Amino acid sequence: MNTANPVLGSKAAPGRLARQWHTLRYVVGENPLSAISAGLFVGFVLLALFGPWLAPHDPLASHVGEPLSPPSMAHWFGTDALGRDILSRVIIATRLDLGIAVAAVALSFVIGGLMGAFAGYFGGWFDRVSTRVSDTIMAFPLFVLAMGIVAALGNTVANIVLATAIINLPFYLRVARAEVRVRREAGFVEAARLAGNGELRVLFHHLIPNVMPPMMVQISLNMGWAILNAAGLSFIGLGVRPPEAEWGIMVAEGAQYIVSGEWWIALFPGLVLMLAVFCFNLLGDSLRDLIDPRRRT
């Protein structure tokens, strides 16, 4: 009897892999932009991980080329006013911008998701307090609120992460609360209670896993917004401080040279920033189709 279990397990595993592969092919076939977004995502991750080894020059070194040199074979993205290689700075900035976005979104996902799940399941005073906190944050223009937080606490990377996490908190709180409230009286939840599971076990083992698909989509969308928020703060002087390589700083430094014809200083960092936001927005649609069974036909 014991010899049958490994056989059944070995048959089940290829079956699951085949179904997952079939779903992936279906999603890519229905929406070819999913493959493009996945490729861009892998590219940004590789740049973030191996950027210091891929950058052709020191991103902080000045006069590696003639100042304000246009794109050429020696400097593919040209140089800025200090003679720094723009390509190297764009590559190195990937790690910082993605790091800020990942840290901020992870923080808001964990705190907001747990607050929303508890509020939706238990209700009562915690639900009222959580809802008021969410409404208070959403009452302000979110970027203006982030500006105020960073201006009050100081423009360090940690404070940028904190401000970005705070303005993203209501999205996860509201999604988790709504999804848990819809499912807390469902049949599978009642069956889990009748089986002797405690309330916390029902919440963490049965309800929260079922609200993950919309939460994963929200994570992908918030990654793009978090990158834009960090770049926007840097653009107005409240973000990462120069001479650190960051996309928003580079766009701000290049904006003053557009009129005089040095278009490449702002163009290439802005283009990479646009591709990053484009990538995560498309990735959200792909994740929804892959994770949520209701989206499959």
Side-chain angles (χ1 to χ4, degrees), residues 68-79 85-86 261-265 267-268:
L68 301 178
S69 296
S72 62
M73 293 301 297
H75 304 283
W76 291 3
F77 286 3
T79 61
D85 184 65
I86 296 177
E262 288 82 14
W263 49 268
W264 58 88
I265 303 177
L267 173 66
F268 292 111

Side-chain angles (χ1 to χ4, degrees), residues 9-87:
S10 63
K11 290 181 179 179
R16 287 195 298 270
L17 291 175
R19 288 194 297 270
Q20 292 170 357
W21 176 247
H22 175 75
T23 303
L24 179 62
R25 289 172 54 192
Y26 167 76
V27 171
V28 174
E30 287 293 312
N31 186 10
L33 290 177
S34 301
I36 298 176
S37 63
L40 286 172
F41 175 73
V42 172
F44 281 117
V45 171
L46 292 177
L47 285 179
L49 293 176
F50 303 107
W53 294 275
L54 295 175
H57 301 282
D58 184 350
L60 300 179
S62 59
H63 296 287
V64 296
E66 288 293 325
L68 301 178
S69 296
S72 62
M73 293 301 297
H75 304 283
W76 291 3
F77 286 3
T79 61
D80 61 11
L82 298 178
R84 296 175 296 190
D85 184 65
I86 296 177
L87 174 60

